[in-house]
Amino acid sequence: MKRPFKSFKENDSLKQLNDDIVWNQDQKQKQKERLLKTIDHLDTSHERGFKKNLFSTKRNMILRNIMYSGIAVVILSGVFISSAFVSPAMAQVVAKIPYLGQLFSTEPLGDEIVNTVRQKGYNINGASISLQGSKNSIEVHVVGSEAYYNEVKGDIERIVSDIIQKRNYDTYTFKVTREVPDVEEKEELSAEEKKVQNIAEDLGDTLFSSNYSILELGTSMNRDKEGKVHPTVHLQIPNTERRIEEIKGVINKVLTQNDAKGMPIEIQKVDMKKSEQRMRWGDIADDVGEDLIGKEKYHVKTVGSSVHPDPEVSINTSLGHSNDDKAFAKELEKVIKQFLATKKMKKKIKGDSYQIIIYGKGDKKLN
């Protein structure tokens, strides 16, 4: 049986990220489980190898790129802000923001939608949430025939509408769509493309059956102005893997056997501990508050998390730079820190030092 591998015709596809980040709840959870399993494996076996391609689909690759880049936009749950030191007008908004502790046990929005719809007996393939500032959207994917979709669409719409209304979210639109199975188009490959594909398969069979710590294996084919193909082998390995030259030797042996001696090899080392930290802080940001993004009156456009060089939660708002706006931001920072100091959150933070930055218009820092 052939091992999974990737083959890209254009190298640019390795670097692209969507402007709109769309999270599928099921895929997000599976991605986290894969990464944690890999990190646990490294902790216990060190130099023992992986026999599985960790990221084997284009969709997972997008999630991986988001995870590695640290640009992930995440969904927040609500916060409480003291009304001290703000104007009466601002205090009215502040007073309506729920206390963080009351919402800590609340499911994330996407999870609640998926779980509720499935508990009602409807067949769906998860839900996607797209965050675009004040224009956020939810899409629920129904699995089944067109007749089944038409039968359940209205019921699912009512379920989602009820959930959004109970949370008083006014920045989300939603739709229920039918998931149509992808029909793989058979593409006629050139002789060069077939050769590179065979090389990728042979490399996969060799490396994934070895004891090397291989996270991902792929090939790309760039064409120059004359149309000549220049293939490259791409490899991702944990930064704990020390047998670089040995791995290169194995790859070069396979290339020679396929009459491709001298094909460039690009190896990327992945800091698995940093990836685990990045994932933790993504979860922490999830816990900090969904209400801020869901309710227009809070003026929160996006919330992001980064761990380079140290953990940071950044909240981008449409607020101006008046004294009231700055006071609001400072109070928001205080309460978030109080929440992160709770026993439950300390377990997730694991002693990391961090900062919270709140931005107003023009990306100007408010706190």
Side-chain angles (χ1 to χ4, degrees):
M1 179 179 178
K2 297 294 185 182
R3 297 288 179 182
F5 69 93
K6 284 183 179 176
S7 181
F8 300 98
K9 291 187 177 180
E10 301 295 336
N11 201 36
D12 287 345
S13 63
L14 287 170
K15 302 173 183 177
Q16 281 187 327
L17 279 176
N18 292 341
D19 290 333
D20 304 331
I21 299 178
V22 179
W23 293 99
N24 180 288
Q25 302 300 315
D26 290 350
Q27 299 252 341
K28 181 180 177 182
Q29 184 60 34
K30 290 177 182 177
Q31 181 74 9
K32 289 163 55 178
E33 290 171 358
R34 287 193 188 97
L35 184 58
L36 288 173
K37 184 177 180 181
T38 302
I39 293 168
D40 289 342
H41 186 89
L42 282 175
D43 289 339
T44 56
S45 59
H46 300 290
E47 295 300 330
R48 291 178 58 191
F50 294 85
K51 298 183 180 180
K52 177 180 180 183
N53 187 345
L54 185 60
F55 304 104
S56 61
T57 69
K58 291 183 179 179
R59 188 175 295 178
N60 279 345
M61 181 186 168
I62 291 175
L63 292 180
R64 188 202 74 234
N65 284 336
I66 293 171
M67 190 179 299
Y68 288 170
S69 67
I71 322 173
V73 175
V74 295
I75 306 171
L76 295 181
S77 11
V79 298
F80 164 85
I81 305 175
S82 169
S83 59
F85 308 113
V86 299
S87 70
M90 185 65 76
Q92 289 182 2
V93 174
V94 169
K96 295 178 182 178
I97 301 177
Y99 174 55
L100 270 173
Q102 295 173 346
L103 293 177
F104 183 71
S105 60
T106 302
E107 285 182 297
L109 175 60
D111 290 347
E112 183 179 359
I113 290 172
V114 170
N115 293 337
T116 303
V117 172
R118 285 177 174 166
Q119 286 169 6
K120 297 288 186 180
Y122 299 109
N123 189 13
I124 63 171
N125 189 27
S128 298
I129 295 180
S130 176
L131 304 180
Q132 298 177 321
S134 61
K135 296 181 179 179
N136 305 315
S137 63
I138 303 165
E139 185 172 343
V140 181
H141 314 287
V142 176
V143 178
S145 66
E146 186 171 356
Y148 175 75
Y149 165 72
N150 291 331
E151 178 186 347
V152 303
K153 179 174 180 288
D155 292 341
I156 296 175
E157 286 176 340
R158 283 187 287 274
I159 292 171
V160 177
S161 179
D162 286 345
I163 291 172
I164 293 175
Q165 288 180 16
K166 286 178 181 177
R167 291 178 178 236
N168 295 315
Y169 289 171
D170 52 12
T171 66
Y172 283 100
T173 60
F174 70 90
K175 61 181 178 180
V176 178
T177 61
R178 179 183 169 225
E179 179 128 329
V180 180
D182 292 332
V183 178
E184 187 174 346
E185 296 182 4
K186 291 186 178 180
E187 185 177 351
E188 190 64 32
L189 301 178
S190 67
E192 291 172 318
E193 291 169 343
K194 287 180 181 178
K195 180 178 179 179
V196 174
Q197 186 179 65
N198 290 334
I199 290 172
E201 290 181 351
D202 287 349
L203 286 171
D205 287 340
T206 301
L207 291 174
F208 290 120
S209 63
S210 69
N211 65 340
Y212 300 121
S213 302
I214 306 299
L215 298 177
E216 184 175 303
L217 170 67
T219 58
S220 65
M221 291 184 286
N222 290 329
R223 293 184 183 273
D224 58 24
K225 294 181 179 179
E226 288 74 33
K228 186 177 180 181
V229 174
H230 298 278
T232 302
V233 175
H234 300 274
L235 199 67
Q236 281 190 356
I237 59 175
N239 59 356
T240 54
E241 175 60 77
R242 306 301 180 194
R243 297 165 293 177
I244 309 300
E245 294 305 316
E246 185 177 331
I247 292 173
K248 284 184 178 180
V250 173
I251 294 174
N252 281 319
K253 184 177 180 180
V254 173
L255 294 176
T256 300
Q257 292 171 347
N258 283 271
D259 194 26
K261 186 177 181 180
M263 183 184 294
I265 303 169
E266 293 185 359
I267 297 180
Q268 178 187 1
K269 292 184 178 181
V270 176
D271 187 335
M272 300 302 289
K273 294 297 184 182
K274 204 67 176 177
S275 293
E276 184 273 339
Q277 185 186 48
R278 187 180 299 112
M279 185 170 57
R280 273 193 295 110
W281 277 93
D283 283 344
I284 290 167
D286 282 343
D287 293 334
V288 168
E290 212 165 55
D291 278 28
L292 292 183
I293 289 178
K295 298 177 182 178
E296 191 171 359
K297 63 186 177 185
Y298 301 149
H299 307 289
V300 174
K301 298 191 296 182
T302 59
V303 177
S305 62
S306 173
V307 293
H308 294 286
D310 296 308
E312 173 185 307
V313 175
S314 58
I315 300 177
N316 298 288
T317 75
S318 59
L319 294 170
H321 308 114
S322 68
N323 290 336
D324 278 346
D325 293 329
K326 291 177 180 178
F328 184 93
K330 288 179 180 178
E331 290 302 307
L332 174 57
E333 178 189 5
K334 286 180 184 177
V335 176
I336 292 175
K337 285 184 175 179
Q338 289 173 1
F339 175 59
L340 296 181
T342 61
K343 183 177 180 181
K344 209 163 189 177
M345 295 308 296
K346 281 183 177 180
K347 289 182 179 180
K348 292 189 176 185
I349 292 172
K350 294 185 177 181
D352 290 348
S353 61
Y354 65 89
Q355 61 178 335
I356 298 165
I357 301 180
I358 302 171
Y359 296 96
K361 291 180 179 178
D363 295 329
K364 187 174 181 180
K365 186 178 176 182
L366 294 178
N367 62 328

